[in-house]
Amino acid sequence: MQDDLVFRPARELAGLVRSKEVSPVEVTEAFLARIEELNPKLNAFITVTADTARSGAREAEREIASGNYRGPLHGIPYAPKDILATRGIRTTNGSKVTPDWVPNYESTVTERLRGAGAVLLGKLNLLEFAMGSGVLSGFGPSRNPWHLDYSPSGSSSGSGTALAAYLTPLSIGTDTGGSIRAPAAACGIVGLKQTYGRVSRYGVTTLSWTLDHAGPMTKTVADAAVMLRIIAGRDPKDPTSSAEPVPDYEAALASGVERLRIGVPSSYFFEGANPEVDAAVRAAIGLLGTLGARIVEVDVPHAELAGSAGWIVAMAEASAFHEKRLRETPELFDPLVRERLETAKFYSATDYIKGLRVRTILQDEMARVFESCDVMAVPGSTQLASKLDDEIAAKSDVKPGSTSPAFRGGNTFLGNMTGLPAITIPCGFSKGPPELPITIEFYGRPFDEATILRTAHAYESATDWHRRRPPL
Amino acid sequence: MTAMTPIRPIRQRREVLKLLVAGGVLGPAAAAAIQEDAKLSTEILERAAALFEAGIEPARIREILPAVQRNRDFFRAVRELEIGDEVEPAPTFQAKR
């Protein structure tokens, strides 16, 4: 039974815990055992908080036994990206610049999860400060469970790895240009970047104040819905957080996609896609059509600028945020992070403002898109997971001998530039070898996470991609 | 929603100039100017670093030059985009529904 527990989604575990068929202690021990077995080769966790987890699980067990059940995360383990501050627990940001930082405050997201009774397993690896190489970041690369020579992408790399390898049932990632959705795509799990302001950024180390989001990374859409409901809502500690009412996302899941209009862009988002990705995503859209959705064509005329304009905004803000650390200890940074922060010093104020004006254009264009559809579907990533860089290639964005485009990014950066909610879920695997995940991404209207969750859940319920296990 | 004048498709000035040079409409001086405009040097970057007070040592400037050049090429589409006067910047998220 204990071995089997790690393969169950959080919602299923919650049912077992609530009915007292399984104790939170048993669940926690099952995950700790799997972490001990597999983390040495996957490097998903930077810190394992086994003692904290065990005491949290025992407390949950006592509370539930005495009839004080807090809800669907009570006694359920989780692990956040190690960029969310946890009071009294080392928070490294994946960096040798801050390797021993022990915050004296708690991020709002982890505070809310703790309040819901979730059990902290530890802190997960990431690309340094959410923008590094992974390979040369402070704690080395996480590895993709589908093939250990491959990258889990990032920057929430440890979250993608840990979920795909069943080291945790739930995680929190952060997303400034795609850092929740890109590892979700590379690792074949669920990544939700909700509307900007829906979830507090308090206690999340900044990459870009205006683009950062912290959101759920899970094995199933229903688990993402449960997690979002708990972490969402106004937070006085984050002035950009929204007072928009938080609906019951789980209740919305059962609505299906009948008569829902799904927009498929006629340009940009599929361009240059791996043929297997293109075919799988279009097949997924076709399946939604057979489930009752109406497929309509849409266009985002300036989508190709989302990546480049977003990069200017993100890196200009990051360079401002890290100014002091970069001046005092440049040699401690991942060489790629250092290069990105230093090159950003040569962007002009005009470049930055122009990036913000492109944001207006993209927001307007997406508002027009949602006049003719309810959800927009695009590939989660146009490419399959790539091999981990060697140490030379990892040092710079300028790859020797590479003829590939510098950076594309629009499929995900669009969500950060517009603030719109987006969810990435598995929709296939490449033929291989190695067999690697393929994903589809759904965009929705502002604060309408319920509709993208419902669409994703309808697709997931009709397929079994999310049940596949990597060959570990 | 901001009322916008049509935004021109991304047609870079440089591409138009290149076409004109290739078609013989513009001469070698224009071709040289395009080339010069496209390439950064360590000297240019050192002057820019001094102007911005970037605090980057000359040796380091030589190392990051290819990355700055790459970014410059990458951002050209944004820099050359013509945007209508009425399009204001969005400093942060605006819920447009």
Side-chain angles (χ1 to χ4, degrees):
Chain A
M1 178 73 164
Q2 201 178 59
D3 286 349
D4 181 52
L5 288 175
V6 297
F7 298 117
R8 296 178 187 238
R11 196 162 72 153
E12 209 175 305
L13 290 173
L16 295 171
V17 165
R18 184 177 194 177
S19 63
K20 302 189 185 80
E21 287 173 68
V22 168
S23 144
V25 175
E26 287 174 81
V27 175
T28 300
E29 289 296 345
F31 281 102
L32 288 174
R34 190 158 173 92
I35 292 165
E36 193 175 341
E37 180 195 346
L38 292 174
N39 196 54
K41 65 177 175 184
L42 293 170
N43 199 27
F45 278 79
I46 291 175
T47 305
V48 179
T49 54
D51 291 344
T52 306
R54 288 188 174 108
S55 82
R58 281 195 297 271
E59 188 185 339
E61 186 181 56
R62 274 194 302 274
E63 288 181 350
I64 293 165
S66 63
N68 181 21
Y69 181 68
R70 297 195 208 177
L73 295 190
H74 200 178
I76 306 301
Y78 85 103
K81 182 177 183 177
D82 199 19
I83 199 165
L84 284 92
T86 40
R87 188 187 297 111
I89 295 170
R90 181 173 76 142
T91 301
T92 68
N93 299 302
S95 176
K96 290 185 183 117
V97 179
T98 54
D100 302 311
W101 178 45
V102 179
N104 60 3
Y105 60 93
E106 186 83 15
S107 78
T108 295
V109 168
T110 50
E111 185 81 63
R112 288 183 179 179
L113 288 168
R114 194 166 61 176
V119 173
L120 180 74
L121 289 171
K123 306 290 292 290
L124 291 167
N125 206 350
L126 65 151
L127 310 188
E128 178 174 299
F129 290 117
M131 61 174 145
S133 64
V135 173
L136 298 171
S137 289
F139 294 83
S142 290
R143 292 182 178 274
N144 193 319
W146 295 99
H147 192 294
L148 299 183
D149 291 342
Y150 281 69
S151 167
S153 191
S155 64
S156 307
S157 51
S159 301
T161 297
L163 285 158
Y166 298 90
L167 305 187
T168 180
L170 301 169
S171 181
I172 294 290
T174 64
D175 192 318
T176 303
S179 286
I180 285 175
R181 292 160 289 157
C187 297
I189 51 115
V190 175
L192 171 61
K193 183 211 81 69
Q194 67 291 323
T195 311
Y196 184 87
R198 178 61 102 182
V199 170
S200 170
R201 293 180 296 108
Y202 176 76
V204 179
T205 301
T206 299
L207 196 175
S208 161
W209 297 278
T210 69
L211 296 169
D212 288 349
H213 302 63
M217 295 176 73
T218 60
K219 292 292 295 180
T220 67
V221 175
D223 285 355
V226 169
M227 223 177 177
L228 180 61
R229 190 175 182 203
I230 285 164
I231 64 174
R234 171 86 181 128
D235 174 18
K237 293 175 185 164
D238 174 4
T240 64
S241 70
S242 169
E244 192 85 14
V246 178
D248 183 348
Y249 299 113
E250 216 183 339
L253 293 178
S255 309
V257 291
E258 191 113 20
R259 289 189 293 279
L260 206 68
R261 296 169 303 165
I262 297 187
V264 181
S266 55
S267 63
Y268 183 72
F269 296 90
F270 289 80
E271 287 170 10
N274 174 300
E276 288 185 89
V277 171
D278 188 285
V281 174
R282 291 190 191 282
I285 293 165
L287 176 59
L288 287 166
T290 66
L291 294 174
R294 192 152 63 83
I295 312 301
V296 299
E297 189 176 295
V298 296
D299 191 31
V300 187
H302 287 84
E304 71 179 276
L305 293 180
S308 47
W311 190 260
I312 294 171
V313 173
M315 289 303 135
E317 293 186 18
S319 192
F321 178 73
H322 287 290
E323 190 174 26
K324 182 169 182 282
R325 283 176 285 275
L326 186 64
R327 190 173 58 241
E328 292 176 351
T329 56
E331 71 285 354
L332 294 182
F333 281 87
D334 174 340
L336 184 64
V337 175
R338 182 180 175 184
E339 176 189 281
R340 288 174 172 178
L341 296 176
E342 287 176 337
T343 56
K345 289 182 177 291
F346 296 97
Y347 308 165
S348 68
T350 311
D351 290 336
Y352 180 76
I353 296 295
K354 201 148 186 190
L356 300 185
R357 295 177 81 197
V358 170
R359 176 141 70 187
T360 299
I361 292 168
L362 292 169
Q363 287 173 345
D364 286 345
E365 288 181 353
M366 288 305 287
R368 281 189 209 108
V369 162
F370 286 117
E371 286 170 7
S372 60
C373 70
D374 304 299
V375 169
M376 184 174 88
V378 303
S381 167
T382 56
Q383 306 305 318
L384 301 170
S386 56
K387 281 195 168 181
L388 284 163
D389 276 338
D390 62 41
E391 292 198 1
I392 302 292
K395 280 184 179 173
S396 174
D397 278 320
V398 182
K399 309 292 183 195
S402 171
T403 54
S404 62
F407 175 69
R408 196 169 173 278
N411 283 35
T412 53
F413 238 126
L414 178 70
N416 305 79
M417 287 293 275
T418 58
L420 296 176
I423 188 168
T424 293
I425 62 165
C427 72
F429 280 82
S430 66
K431 288 192 178 69
E435 291 182 8
L436 294 167
I438 298 172
T439 53
I440 186 168
E441 180 179 16
F442 299 112
Y443 275 98
R445 296 188 179 93
F447 296 104
D448 190 15
E449 288 82 7
T451 301
I452 58 170
L453 283 163
R454 157 189 163 197
T455 307
H457 181 70
Y459 178 80
E460 185 187 77
S461 301
T463 58
D464 62 0
W465 306 115
H466 61 291
R467 291 188 223 280
R468 284 213 192 176
R469 296 180 192 174
L472 287 167
Chain B
M1 186 181 300
T2 310
M4 289 189 297
T5 51
I7 300 160
R8 285 195 192 175
I10 305 160
R11 183 68 176 183
Q12 287 137 351
R13 184 178 62 91
R14 178 173 322 284
E15 285 176 15
V16 175
L17 289 174
K18 277 181 186 167
L19 286 173
L20 292 173
V21 169
V25 178
L26 295 177
I34 294 167
Q35 196 64 26
E36 192 180 318
D37 188 29
K39 283 287 171 199
L40 289 172
S41 66
T42 44
E43 291 72 28
I44 291 171
L45 215 54
E46 281 174 17
R47 279 189 228 129
L51 183 66
F52 292 157
E53 298 183 8
I56 304 174
E57 297 298 320
R60 183 65 188 152
I61 282 181
R62 277 192 292 281
E63 288 173 10
I64 65 170
L65 176 65
V68 177
Q69 177 73 57
R70 170 193 170 278
N71 280 350
R72 195 161 175 257
D73 297 341
F74 179 45
F75 299 154
R76 193 166 298 285
V78 175
R79 284 183 169 159
E80 295 190 353
L81 180 71
E82 292 179 22
I83 303 177
D85 290 346
E86 63 286 348
V87 179
E88 295 193 6
T92 188
F93 170 64
Q94 299 164 0
K96 296 186 176 182
R97 304 183 235 211

